[in-house]
Amino acid sequence: MKVLMVCLGNICRSPLAEGILKKQVQEKGLDWQIDSAGTSGWHVGELPDARSIATAKQYGIDITDQRSRQFQQSDLDTFDLILAMDTSNYNDILRLANSEQATKVKMILNFTYPKENRSVPDPYYNDGFETVYQLLDLACGKIIEEYPNES
Ligand code: 4NP
C-alpha cells in the first residue's frame, strides 16, 4: 500500500500526517510506503515547520528526516491512495488526474467524518498544531482499519 499525504506547503500538515501514519503502520507491523508532498513549490527542500517538528516530538515521532517536495503528476500513478488535507489541495490534485487516477484521491478527514469533506485547518498562520495532530491521528487509525489486508 503506497499512501501520499498532500497539503499546500508540505511543511506543516502533510509532514505530520506522514509521520503519524508511518508510526501507526510500524506499530501494526504493516509494510506500507508513506510519503508527503505539497501542491505548491514554495518550500521545496525545507525541513518541516519547527512547530510541526515540536508537536510530533511530543508524541515520540521524529519528522526531521523529511524535506518538502512538490506534488507531481507521476504521483498519481505511483501511489494507491492520495490524501488531501483540504478542499483546495483536493481540487488542485484532481486537475492533474484522469478519471481512473481521480478515484485514488480522497479528503483525509472523510475517513473520520465520511462524506463531510472537512478540511484539516491550515495552522501556518493561525497555529493549532495540536488540533491538527489529533485530527490526523484519528484519521490515520481509520485509514488502517479500512485497508486491513494491504501489506
Ligand atoms: P501546509 O501549511 O500546507 O500545512 O504545509 C502551509 C505552509 C506554508 C504556507 C501555507 C500553508 N505558505 O503560505 O507559505
Side-chain angles (χ1 to χ4, degrees):
M1 185 76 166
K2 296 190 184 122
V3 183
L4 183 67
M5 304 293 191
V6 183
C7 63
L8 177 62
N10 191 212
I11 55 168
C12 295
R13 292 165 292 177
S14 60
L16 265 180
E18 177 185 336
I20 292 166
L21 188 59
K22 277 181 173 166
K23 183 185 187 206
Q24 291 194 10
V25 302
Q26 191 186 4
E27 286 169 355
K28 298 263 181 202
L30 299 168
D31 186 24
W32 292 15
Q33 285 180 40
I34 300 147
D35 193 9
S36 63
T39 54
S40 79
W42 300 339
H43 296 275
V44 167
E46 292 180 22
L47 274 164
D49 188 284
R51 297 164 294 176
S52 280
I53 292 174
T55 303
K57 195 175 172 192
Q58 282 181 346
Y59 294 94
I61 302 173
D62 181 2
I63 59 169
T64 59
D65 60 328
Q66 295 186 34
R67 297 293 179 274
S68 176
R69 75 164 178 93
Q70 187 167 17
F71 180 83
Q72 53 195 34
Q73 194 142 18
S74 61
D75 290 324
L76 288 157
D77 290 323
T78 304
F79 290 90
D80 304 309
L81 194 56
I82 297 169
L83 300 175
M85 299 295 125
D86 67 31
T87 44
S88 70
N89 311 145
Y90 181 79
N91 291 328
D92 287 343
I93 297 165
L94 278 194
R95 263 193 283 279
L96 300 172
N98 63 34
S99 56
E100 190 193 335
Q101 293 166 333
T103 63
K104 306 176 180 181
V105 186
K106 299 178 194 301
M107 294 281 287
I108 191 168
L109 292 189
N110 278 358
F111 283 91
T112 18
Y113 307 101
K115 299 187 179 149
E116 293 187 20
N117 296 327
R118 289 197 198 187
S119 290
V120 179
D122 182 348
Y124 186 65
Y125 293 109
N126 301 320
D127 234 328
F129 284 79
E130 176 60 27
T131 303
V132 168
Y133 183 94
Q134 295 302 337
L135 287 169
L136 293 174
D137 193 44
L138 281 176
C140 287
K142 296 283 186 188
I143 292 162
I144 292 175
E145 276 177 28
E146 283 215 18
Y147 300 96
N149 299 318
E150 307 291 339
S151 62

